[in-house]
Amino acid sequence: MSHAVCTATYRCYDDKADFNKKALGIAVGLTVGSWTDLPEARKAEMEKHLGRVVSVVESGGTEPGTRYADIVVAYPDVNFSRDLPALLVTVFGKLSMDGRIKLLDLDFSADFLSAFPGPKFGIEGVRGLLGVHDRPLLMSIFKSVIGHDLPNLREQFYKQALGGVDLIKDDEILFENPLTPLQKRVEACMEAARQAEAETGQKLLYAVNLTGPTSKLASQAKLAIASGANALLFNVLAYGFDVLHELASDPEINIPIAAHPAMAGAFYPSPHYGISAPLLLGKLMRLAGADLALFPSPYGSVVMPREENLAVQAALIDPALPVRTSFPVPSAGIHPGLVPLILRDFGSEVVVNAGGGIHGHPMGTAAGGQAFRQAIEATLNNVSLPEAAAKPGNEALRTAIDSWGYKTP
Ligand code: 1AE
Protein backbone atom coordinates (compact mmCIF):
# COMPACT_ATOMS: atom_id res chain seq x y z
CA MET A 1 0.00 0.00 0.00
CA SER A 2 1.42 3.45 -0.86
CA HIS A 3 1.30 6.29 1.67
CA ALA A 4 1.54 10.07 1.21
CA VAL A 5 5.14 11.28 1.43
CA CYS A 6 7.18 14.46 1.39
CA THR A 7 10.53 14.13 -0.35
CA ALA A 8 13.84 15.80 0.46
CA THR A 9 16.73 16.25 -1.96
CA TYR A 10 20.21 16.50 -0.48
CA ARG A 11 23.67 17.09 -1.89
CA CYS A 12 26.20 15.11 0.07
CA TYR A 13 29.96 15.54 -0.37
CA ASP A 14 32.35 12.78 0.63
CA ASP A 15 35.58 11.58 -0.96
CA LYS A 16 35.07 7.95 0.01
CA ALA A 17 31.55 7.21 1.25
CA ASP A 18 29.27 4.57 -0.19
CA PHE A 19 26.48 7.00 -1.07
CA ASN A 20 23.83 4.27 -1.38
CA LYS A 21 24.61 3.20 2.15
CA LYS A 22 24.58 6.83 3.30
CA ALA A 23 21.16 7.36 1.67
CA LEU A 24 19.74 4.25 3.31
CA GLY A 25 21.16 5.41 6.64
CA ILE A 26 19.29 8.73 6.25
CA ALA A 27 16.01 7.12 5.14
CA VAL A 28 15.99 4.63 8.00
CA GLY A 29 17.80 6.68 10.66
CA LEU A 30 15.46 9.68 10.35
CA THR A 31 12.32 7.56 10.43
CA VAL A 32 12.20 4.19 12.22
CA GLY A 33 15.76 4.34 13.56
CA SER A 34 16.85 0.83 12.65
CA TRP A 35 15.30 -1.69 10.32
CA THR A 36 17.32 -4.86 9.88
CA ASP A 37 17.39 -5.52 13.63
CA LEU A 38 13.60 -5.49 13.93
CA PRO A 39 11.67 -8.75 14.31
CA GLU A 40 9.38 -9.50 11.32
CA ALA A 41 6.17 -8.69 13.20
CA ARG A 42 7.50 -5.30 14.24
CA LYS A 43 8.70 -4.65 10.66
CA ALA A 44 5.15 -5.06 9.39
CA GLU A 45 3.91 -2.50 11.95
CA MET A 46 6.70 -0.04 11.22
CA GLU A 47 6.59 -0.28 7.43
CA LYS A 48 4.29 2.73 7.06
CA HIS A 49 6.79 4.88 8.98
CA LEU A 50 9.86 3.81 7.04
CA GLY A 51 11.65 6.39 4.86
CA ARG A 52 12.60 5.26 1.34
CA VAL A 53 15.54 6.12 -0.86
CA VAL A 54 14.11 7.43 -4.12
CA SER A 55 17.40 7.99 -5.96
CA VAL A 56 21.14 8.40 -5.54
CA VAL A 57 23.01 10.15 -8.36
CA GLU A 58 26.75 10.32 -7.93
CA SER A 59 28.82 13.10 -9.57
CA GLY A 60 32.10 14.89 -9.33
CA GLY A 61 35.67 13.93 -9.83
CA THR A 62 38.49 12.20 -8.06
CA GLU A 63 40.08 15.46 -6.88
CA PRO A 64 39.77 15.73 -3.09
CA GLY A 65 36.59 17.55 -2.09
CA THR A 66 34.81 17.22 -5.43
CA ARG A 67 32.96 13.89 -5.09
CA TYR A 68 29.27 14.19 -4.24
CA ALA A 69 25.88 12.58 -4.67
CA ASP A 70 22.38 14.00 -4.96
CA ILE A 71 20.18 11.87 -2.75
CA VAL A 72 16.39 11.90 -2.73
CA VAL A 73 14.57 10.43 0.26
CA ALA A 74 10.80 10.07 0.74
CA TYR A 75 9.43 10.58 4.26
CA PRO A 76 5.96 9.24 5.12
CA ASP A 77 3.55 12.01 6.13
CA VAL A 78 2.37 9.86 8.99
CA ASN A 79 5.63 10.65 10.81
CA PHE A 80 5.13 14.40 11.20
CA SER A 81 2.42 16.91 11.95
CA ARG A 82 1.31 19.38 9.26
CA ASP A 83 3.75 22.16 10.12
CA LEU A 84 7.15 23.27 8.85
CA PRO A 85 9.06 22.80 12.13
CA ALA A 86 8.03 19.13 12.22
CA LEU A 87 8.97 18.57 8.57
CA LEU A 88 12.27 20.47 8.79
CA VAL A 89 13.35 18.68 11.96
CA THR A 90 12.44 15.33 10.37
CA VAL A 91 14.34 15.85 7.14
CA PHE A 92 17.21 18.06 8.31
CA GLY A 93 17.34 18.14 12.07
CA LYS A 94 20.31 16.17 13.32
CA LEU A 95 21.31 15.45 9.73
CA SER A 96 22.19 19.13 9.16
CA MET A 97 25.11 18.63 11.57
CA ASP A 98 26.26 15.29 10.18
CA GLY A 99 29.02 15.91 7.63
CA ARG A 100 29.04 17.87 4.40
CA ILE A 101 25.39 17.74 3.45
CA LYS A 102 23.08 20.46 2.14
CA LEU A 103 19.30 20.38 1.86
CA LEU A 104 18.57 21.35 -1.76
CA ASP A 105 14.83 20.96 -2.09
CA LEU A 106 11.61 19.70 -0.56
CA ASP A 107 8.52 18.38 -2.32
CA PHE A 108 5.34 18.23 -0.33
CA SER A 109 2.39 15.86 -0.44
CA ALA A 110 -1.01 17.35 -1.27
CA ASP A 111 -2.14 16.55 2.25
CA PHE A 112 0.81 18.41 3.81
CA LEU A 113 0.22 21.37 1.49
CA SER A 114 -3.43 21.54 2.49
CA ALA A 115 -2.35 23.01 5.86
CA PHE A 116 -0.81 26.05 4.14
CA PRO A 117 -2.98 28.82 2.71
CA GLY A 118 0.18 30.63 1.51
CA PRO A 119 0.28 34.37 0.77
CA LYS A 120 -3.03 36.19 1.31
CA PHE A 121 -2.30 38.67 -1.49
CA GLY A 122 0.59 37.48 -3.63
CA ILE A 123 1.63 39.33 -6.76
CA GLU A 124 -1.90 39.94 -8.04
CA GLY A 125 -3.21 41.00 -4.65
CA VAL A 126 -0.39 43.48 -4.02
CA ARG A 127 -0.87 44.93 -7.51
CA GLY A 128 -4.61 45.15 -6.84
CA LEU A 129 -4.06 47.14 -3.62
CA LEU A 130 -1.86 49.59 -5.50
CA GLY A 131 -3.85 49.65 -8.72
CA VAL A 132 -0.65 49.10 -10.72
CA HIS A 133 -0.73 46.25 -13.23
CA ASP A 134 1.47 47.30 -16.12
CA ARG A 135 4.98 47.76 -14.77
CA PRO A 136 7.44 46.49 -12.18
CA LEU A 137 6.85 48.00 -8.74
CA LEU A 138 9.34 50.22 -6.94
CA MET A 139 10.09 49.96 -3.23
CA SER A 140 12.14 52.35 -1.13
CA ILE A 141 13.86 51.42 2.14
CA PHE A 142 14.12 53.84 5.04
CA LYS A 143 17.79 54.49 5.79
CA SER A 144 19.12 56.29 8.87
CA VAL A 145 16.29 55.35 11.15
CA ILE A 146 17.91 54.63 14.50
CA GLY A 147 18.01 57.66 16.76
CA HIS A 148 15.61 59.65 14.59
CA ASP A 149 12.39 61.09 15.99
CA LEU A 150 8.91 60.99 14.49
CA PRO A 151 8.99 64.34 12.64
CA ASN A 152 12.29 63.31 11.07
CA LEU A 153 10.97 59.90 10.03
CA ARG A 154 7.79 61.46 8.69
CA GLU A 155 9.83 63.86 6.57
CA GLN A 156 11.95 60.98 5.21
CA PHE A 157 8.78 59.07 4.40
CA TYR A 158 7.22 62.02 2.61
CA LYS A 159 10.31 62.56 0.44
CA GLN A 160 10.41 58.88 -0.51
CA ALA A 161 6.71 58.97 -1.38
CA LEU A 162 7.14 62.06 -3.57
CA GLY A 163 9.64 60.11 -5.66
CA GLY A 164 6.86 57.88 -7.00
CA VAL A 165 7.63 54.68 -5.12
CA ASP A 166 4.90 52.06 -4.68
CA LEU A 167 6.09 50.68 -1.38
CA ILE A 168 8.20 51.99 1.48
CA LYS A 169 9.65 49.57 3.97
CA ASP A 170 11.21 50.11 7.36
CA ASP A 171 14.83 49.17 7.68
CA GLU A 172 14.94 45.69 9.20
CA ILE A 173 17.04 46.99 12.09
CA LEU A 174 14.35 49.38 13.31
CA PHE A 175 12.80 47.77 16.38
CA GLU A 176 10.35 48.95 19.01
CA ASN A 177 11.92 52.09 20.48
CA PRO A 178 10.84 55.13 22.49
CA LEU A 179 11.47 57.68 19.71
CA THR A 180 9.38 56.01 16.99
CA PRO A 181 7.12 53.36 18.58
CA LEU A 182 5.15 51.23 16.13
CA GLN A 183 1.73 52.83 16.59
CA LYS A 184 2.98 56.41 16.37
CA ARG A 185 5.31 55.53 13.49
CA VAL A 186 2.45 54.06 11.49
CA GLU A 187 0.20 57.06 12.18
CA ALA A 188 2.91 59.56 11.19
CA CYS A 189 3.97 57.69 8.06
CA MET A 190 0.45 57.00 6.83
CA GLU A 191 -0.37 60.68 7.28
CA ALA A 192 2.68 61.50 5.14
CA ALA A 193 1.48 58.90 2.61
CA ARG A 194 -1.90 60.67 2.34
CA GLN A 195 -0.20 64.04 1.96
CA ALA A 196 2.02 62.70 -0.82
CA GLU A 197 -0.92 60.94 -2.52
CA ALA A 198 -2.79 64.25 -2.66
CA GLU A 199 0.14 65.59 -4.70
CA THR A 200 1.12 62.58 -6.80
CA GLY A 201 -2.19 60.72 -7.06
CA GLN A 202 -0.25 57.56 -6.27
CA LYS A 203 -1.16 54.98 -3.64
CA LEU A 204 1.54 53.30 -1.63
CA LEU A 205 2.06 50.54 0.89
CA TYR A 206 4.13 51.11 4.02
CA ALA A 207 5.67 47.88 5.37
CA VAL A 208 6.22 48.59 9.04
CA ASN A 209 8.71 46.31 10.79
CA LEU A 210 6.91 43.82 13.04
CA THR A 211 9.25 43.12 15.95
CA GLY A 212 9.36 42.08 19.61
CA PRO A 213 8.73 38.81 21.44
CA THR A 214 7.01 36.10 19.38
CA SER A 215 4.08 35.93 21.81
CA LYS A 216 3.24 39.59 21.12
CA LEU A 217 3.66 39.67 17.34
CA ALA A 218 0.05 39.01 16.37
CA SER A 219 -1.25 41.68 18.75
CA GLN A 220 1.41 44.13 17.53
CA ALA A 221 0.38 43.41 13.94
CA LYS A 222 -3.26 44.09 14.82
CA LEU A 223 -2.28 47.28 16.64
CA ALA A 224 -0.38 48.38 13.53
CA ILE A 225 -3.43 47.65 11.38
CA ALA A 226 -5.72 49.52 13.78
CA SER A 227 -3.32 52.47 13.49
CA GLY A 228 -3.60 52.43 9.69
CA ALA A 229 -0.77 50.11 8.58
CA ASN A 230 -1.31 48.64 5.14
CA ALA A 231 1.69 46.22 5.02
CA LEU A 232 4.16 44.54 7.36
CA LEU A 233 7.86 43.76 7.18
CA PHE A 234 8.96 40.62 9.00
CA ASN A 235 12.42 39.18 9.74
CA VAL A 236 11.28 35.62 9.08
CA LEU A 237 14.47 33.67 9.72
CA ALA A 238 15.08 35.20 13.13
CA TYR A 239 11.64 33.95 14.25
CA GLY A 240 11.12 30.84 12.11
CA PHE A 241 8.88 29.96 9.19
CA ASP A 242 6.09 28.80 11.46
CA VAL A 243 5.74 32.29 12.94
CA LEU A 244 5.28 33.74 9.45
CA HIS A 245 2.77 30.97 8.74
CA GLU A 246 0.80 31.86 11.89
CA LEU A 247 0.76 35.57 11.04
CA ALA A 248 -0.15 35.01 7.40
CA SER A 249 -2.95 32.59 8.35
CA ASP A 250 -4.52 34.96 10.88
CA PRO A 251 -7.74 36.31 9.30
CA GLU A 252 -7.39 39.59 11.19
CA ILE A 253 -3.93 40.24 9.73
CA ASN A 254 -5.32 41.13 6.36
CA ILE A 255 -2.46 43.17 4.89
CA PRO A 256 0.52 41.99 2.81
CA ILE A 257 3.63 40.70 4.57
CA ALA A 258 7.11 41.38 3.14
CA ALA A 259 9.63 38.74 4.23
CA HIS A 260 13.11 40.07 4.97
CA PRO A 261 16.02 37.64 4.45
CA ALA A 262 18.12 38.81 7.44
CA MET A 263 20.29 35.91 8.67
CA ALA A 264 19.86 33.95 5.42
CA GLY A 265 23.63 34.08 4.90
CA ALA A 266 23.96 31.72 7.85
CA PHE A 267 22.02 29.09 5.86
CA TYR A 268 22.47 29.13 2.09
CA PRO A 269 25.86 30.28 0.68
CA SER A 270 27.99 27.20 1.42
CA PRO A 271 27.98 24.48 -1.25
CA HIS A 272 28.45 21.92 1.54
CA TYR A 273 26.13 22.93 4.37
CA GLY A 274 22.79 24.55 5.10
CA ILE A 275 19.67 25.00 3.00
CA SER A 276 19.67 26.08 -0.64
CA ALA A 277 18.60 29.65 -1.42
CA PRO A 278 15.68 28.62 -3.70
CA LEU A 279 14.24 26.49 -0.90
CA LEU A 280 14.98 28.89 1.96
CA LEU A 281 14.16 32.21 0.33
CA GLY A 282 11.79 30.91 -2.33
CA LYS A 283 9.65 27.86 -1.69
CA LEU A 284 9.50 27.99 2.11
CA MET A 285 8.92 31.76 2.28
CA ARG A 286 6.06 31.39 -0.17
CA LEU A 287 4.52 28.39 1.50
CA ALA A 288 4.73 30.13 4.87
CA GLY A 289 2.82 33.11 3.45
CA ALA A 290 5.20 35.84 2.25
CA ASP A 291 3.45 38.20 -0.16
CA LEU A 292 6.79 39.76 -1.04
CA ALA A 293 10.11 37.99 -0.59
CA LEU A 294 13.38 39.94 -0.41
CA PHE A 295 16.70 38.35 -1.33
CA PRO A 296 20.11 39.50 -2.57
CA SER A 297 20.45 40.08 -6.30
CA PRO A 298 23.23 39.08 -8.72
CA TYR A 299 24.14 42.72 -9.36
CA GLY A 300 24.25 44.80 -6.20
CA SER A 301 26.32 44.99 -3.02
CA VAL A 302 25.34 41.62 -1.49
CA VAL A 303 25.66 39.25 -4.40
CA MET A 304 24.05 35.89 -5.07
CA PRO A 305 25.05 34.00 -8.24
CA ARG A 306 22.60 34.67 -11.07
CA GLU A 307 21.57 31.05 -11.60
CA GLU A 308 20.77 30.64 -7.91
CA ASN A 309 18.94 33.97 -7.96
CA LEU A 310 16.74 32.95 -10.85
CA ALA A 311 16.00 29.69 -9.06
CA VAL A 312 14.75 31.72 -6.06
CA GLN A 313 12.52 33.71 -8.42
CA ALA A 314 11.27 30.48 -10.05
CA ALA A 315 10.31 29.05 -6.66
CA LEU A 316 8.37 32.21 -5.79
CA ILE A 317 6.25 32.06 -8.93
CA ASP A 318 6.25 28.32 -9.79
CA PRO A 319 2.66 27.45 -10.85
CA ALA A 320 3.14 23.91 -9.53
CA LEU A 321 2.86 25.15 -5.93
CA PRO A 322 -0.88 25.50 -5.22
CA VAL A 323 -0.70 28.78 -3.32
CA ARG A 324 -0.53 32.38 -4.51
CA THR A 325 2.77 33.60 -5.92
CA SER A 326 5.12 35.81 -3.90
CA PHE A 327 6.53 39.01 -5.39
CA PRO A 328 10.29 38.57 -6.04
CA VAL A 329 12.25 41.51 -4.54
CA PRO A 330 15.95 41.30 -5.51
CA SER A 331 17.68 43.75 -3.18
CA ALA A 332 20.83 45.27 -1.68
CA GLY A 333 22.99 47.86 -3.40
CA ILE A 334 20.47 48.46 -6.19
CA HIS A 335 20.71 51.75 -8.14
CA PRO A 336 18.87 52.98 -11.26
CA GLY A 337 21.71 51.87 -13.58
CA LEU A 338 20.92 48.24 -12.71
CA VAL A 339 17.26 48.41 -13.76
CA PRO A 340 17.86 47.00 -17.30
CA LEU A 341 19.55 43.92 -15.79
CA ILE A 342 16.77 43.42 -13.23
CA LEU A 343 14.05 43.65 -15.87
CA ARG A 344 15.95 41.38 -18.26
CA ASP A 345 16.18 38.68 -15.57
CA PHE A 346 12.89 39.13 -13.71
CA GLY A 347 10.56 40.61 -16.33
CA SER A 348 7.75 42.81 -15.09
CA GLU A 349 6.72 40.73 -12.07
CA VAL A 350 9.38 42.18 -9.81
CA VAL A 351 9.75 44.82 -7.14
CA VAL A 352 12.82 46.99 -7.70
CA ASN A 353 14.02 47.77 -4.19
CA ALA A 354 16.58 50.29 -2.99
CA GLY A 355 17.71 52.17 0.07
CA GLY A 356 21.06 53.83 -0.58
CA GLY A 357 20.23 53.97 -4.31
CA ILE A 358 17.33 56.29 -3.46
CA HIS A 359 18.52 58.31 -0.46
CA GLY A 360 22.05 58.68 -1.85
CA HIS A 361 20.87 60.42 -5.03
CA PRO A 362 22.80 63.71 -5.37
CA MET A 363 19.56 65.64 -5.97
CA GLY A 364 17.90 64.15 -2.88
CA THR A 365 15.56 61.34 -1.88
CA ALA A 366 12.57 62.29 -4.05
CA ALA A 367 14.84 62.51 -7.12
CA GLY A 368 16.18 59.05 -6.16
CA GLY A 369 12.72 57.54 -6.60
CA GLN A 370 12.10 59.53 -9.78
CA ALA A 371 15.37 58.27 -11.29
CA PHE A 372 14.23 54.67 -10.73
CA ARG A 373 10.81 55.34 -12.24
CA GLN A 374 12.47 56.95 -15.28
CA ALA A 375 14.84 53.98 -15.61
CA ILE A 376 11.93 51.53 -15.40
CA GLU A 377 9.90 53.41 -17.99
CA ALA A 378 12.84 53.66 -20.39
CA THR A 379 13.66 49.98 -20.06
CA LEU A 380 10.04 48.93 -20.62
CA ASN A 381 10.08 51.02 -23.79
CA ASN A 382 13.38 49.51 -24.98
CA VAL A 383 15.15 52.84 -24.61
CA SER A 384 18.71 52.66 -23.29
CA LEU A 385 19.44 54.49 -20.07
CA PRO A 386 21.89 57.01 -21.62
CA GLU A 387 19.33 57.79 -24.32
CA ALA A 388 16.55 58.21 -21.75
CA ALA A 389 18.81 60.27 -19.49
CA ALA A 390 19.42 62.76 -22.29
CA LYS A 391 15.69 63.50 -22.64
CA PRO A 392 14.23 66.69 -21.13
CA GLY A 393 12.58 65.99 -17.78
CA ASN A 394 14.86 63.08 -16.96
CA GLU A 395 17.47 65.02 -14.96
CA ALA A 396 17.04 62.63 -12.03
CA LEU A 397 18.04 59.64 -14.17
CA ARG A 398 20.90 61.56 -15.78
CA THR A 399 22.32 62.48 -12.38
CA ALA A 400 21.91 58.90 -11.11
CA ILE A 401 23.83 57.34 -13.96
CA ASP A 402 26.49 60.06 -13.73
CA SER A 403 26.89 59.03 -10.09
CA TRP A 404 26.58 55.25 -10.20
CA GLY A 405 26.98 54.34 -13.86
CA TYR A 406 24.78 51.82 -15.63
CA LYS A 407 24.93 48.27 -16.96
CA THR A 408 23.70 47.14 -20.37
CA PRO A 409 22.22 43.63 -20.55
C1 1AE B 1 18.68 41.94 1.04
C2 1AE B 1 17.94 43.00 1.84
C3 1AE B 1 18.31 44.39 1.47
C4 1AE B 1 17.88 45.39 2.49
O1 1AE B 1 17.06 45.13 3.34
C5 1AE B 1 18.46 46.71 2.48
O2 1AE B 1 18.23 47.45 3.55
C6 1AE B 1 19.16 47.21 1.41
O3 1AE B 1 19.62 48.47 1.46
P1 1AE B 1 20.44 49.11 0.25
O4 1AE B 1 19.53 49.20 -0.93
O5 1AE B 1 21.60 48.22 -0.03
O6 1AE B 1 20.85 50.45 0.75
Side-chain angles (χ1 to χ4, degrees):
M1 185 180 149
S2 70
H3 301 284
V5 294
C6 291
T7 59
T9 303
Y10 308 95
R11 179 158 294 174
C12 178
Y13 278 86
D14 199 301
D15 287 344
K16 295 201 181 85
D18 175 343
F19 285 124
N20 287 299
K21 201 166 156 198
K22 173 86 183 169
L24 198 59
I26 294 171
V28 177
L30 298 188
T31 56
V32 298
S34 80
W35 183 250
T36 45
D37 300 341
L38 292 177
E40 288 309 310
R42 192 82 185 114
K43 273 188 182 167
E45 282 167 30
M46 297 303 280
E47 175 112 35
K48 66 175 185 292
H49 296 283
L50 179 64
R52 308 260 175 207
V53 177
V54 177
S55 60
V56 177
V57 179
E58 200 174 315
S59 306
T62 49
E63 289 294 304
T66 61
R67 183 174 173 267
Y68 69 88
D70 287 343
I71 295 172
V72 181
V73 174
Y75 294 89
D77 275 17
V78 68
N79 289 2
F80 40 86
S81 41
R82 300 293 173 265
D83 56 86
L84 287 171
L87 181 64
L88 288 172
V89 170
T90 297
V91 306
F92 208 46
K94 203 163 71 176
L95 183 61
S96 67
M97 300 173 267
D98 188 9
R100 289 186 300 159
I101 186 159
K102 181 164 181 171
L103 179 62
L104 295 186
D105 199 10
L106 285 170
D107 283 298
F108 315 103
S109 68
D111 188 55
F112 187 83
L113 283 174
S114 68
F116 295 86
K120 270 205 190 82
F121 295 85
I123 294 179
E124 278 314 305
V126 169
R127 284 194 177 284
L129 291 174
L130 292 166
V132 177
H133 298 276
D134 55 352
R135 61 167 171 81
L137 300 182
L138 175 61
M139 171 147 73
S140 172
I141 310 164
F142 265 110
K143 289 286 154 182
S144 295
V145 281
I146 291 178
H148 290 250
D149 60 13
L150 279 172
N152 189 300
L153 224 57
R154 188 193 184 288
E155 185 59 17
Q156 273 197 54
F157 189 99
Y158 178 63
K159 286 181 181 153
Q160 291 174 87
L162 284 186
V165 304
D166 302 293
L167 302 102
I168 297 176
K169 82 161 188 69
D170 272 345
D171 205 1
E172 71 280 3
I173 56 168
L174 184 62
F175 305 104
E176 202 49 11
N177 71 92
L179 280 176
T180 52
L182 177 102
Q183 192 174 2
K184 297 236 172 309
R185 189 158 90 241
V186 170
E187 285 166 3
C189 290
M190 293 311 291
E191 190 192 276
R194 285 188 291 276
Q195 188 189 347
E197 187 180 342
E199 291 176 48
T200 62
Q202 193 183 330
K203 287 191 195 322
L204 64 76
L205 296 174
Y206 167 41
V208 65
N209 199 16
L210 183 62
T211 68
T214 306
S215 59
K216 302 225 168 71
L217 289 174
S219 57
Q220 282 291 94
K222 289 166 198 173
L223 178 66
I225 293 167
S227 311
N230 57 8
L232 297 168
L233 176 72
F234 189 52
N235 288 309
V236 177
L237 298 175
Y239 288 95
F241 286 111
D242 194 55
V243 181
L244 172 60
H245 169 62
E246 289 276 311
L247 295 167
S249 309
D250 188 325
E252 289 175 49
I253 303 177
N254 53 358
I255 55 176
I257 302 177
H260 196 278
M263 287 179 50
F267 295 90
Y268 75 79
S270 164
H272 301 128
Y273 302 101
I275 302 179
S276 75
L279 177 60
L280 185 80
L281 298 173
K283 203 183 258 191
L284 290 173
M285 287 294 186
R286 181 175 165 200
L287 193 64
D291 296 287
L292 305 110
L294 281 71
F295 51 92
S297 80
Y299 342 96
S301 54
V302 181
V303 176
M304 184 191 286
R306 181 163 176 261
E307 199 182 325
E308 205 175 348
N309 216 246
L310 295 183
V312 174
Q313 177 216 22
L316 293 171
I317 59 174
D318 181 1
L321 201 63
V323 294
R324 288 184 186 87
T325 50
S326 307
F327 237 128
V329 191
S331 305
I334 303 297
H335 60 77
L338 298 174
V339 165
L341 296 187
I342 298 173
L343 270 56
R344 173 201 66 191
D345 286 343
F346 290 86
S348 227
E349 299 303 12
V350 69
V351 179
V352 176
N353 182 29
I358 284 187
H359 300 280
H361 193 286
M363 290 161 62
T365 296
Q370 288 154 9
F372 271 102
R373 287 291 302 270
Q374 290 161 7
I376 290 171
E377 194 186 330
T379 307
L380 288 178
N381 290 319
N382 293 317
V383 176
S384 75
L385 293 191
E387 206 183 322
K391 291 189 176 167
N394 282 355
E395 288 77 16
L397 178 59
R398 187 156 60 248
T399 307
I401 65 173
D402 283 350
S403 264
W404 290 301
Y406 66 95
K407 295 259 165 63
T408 10

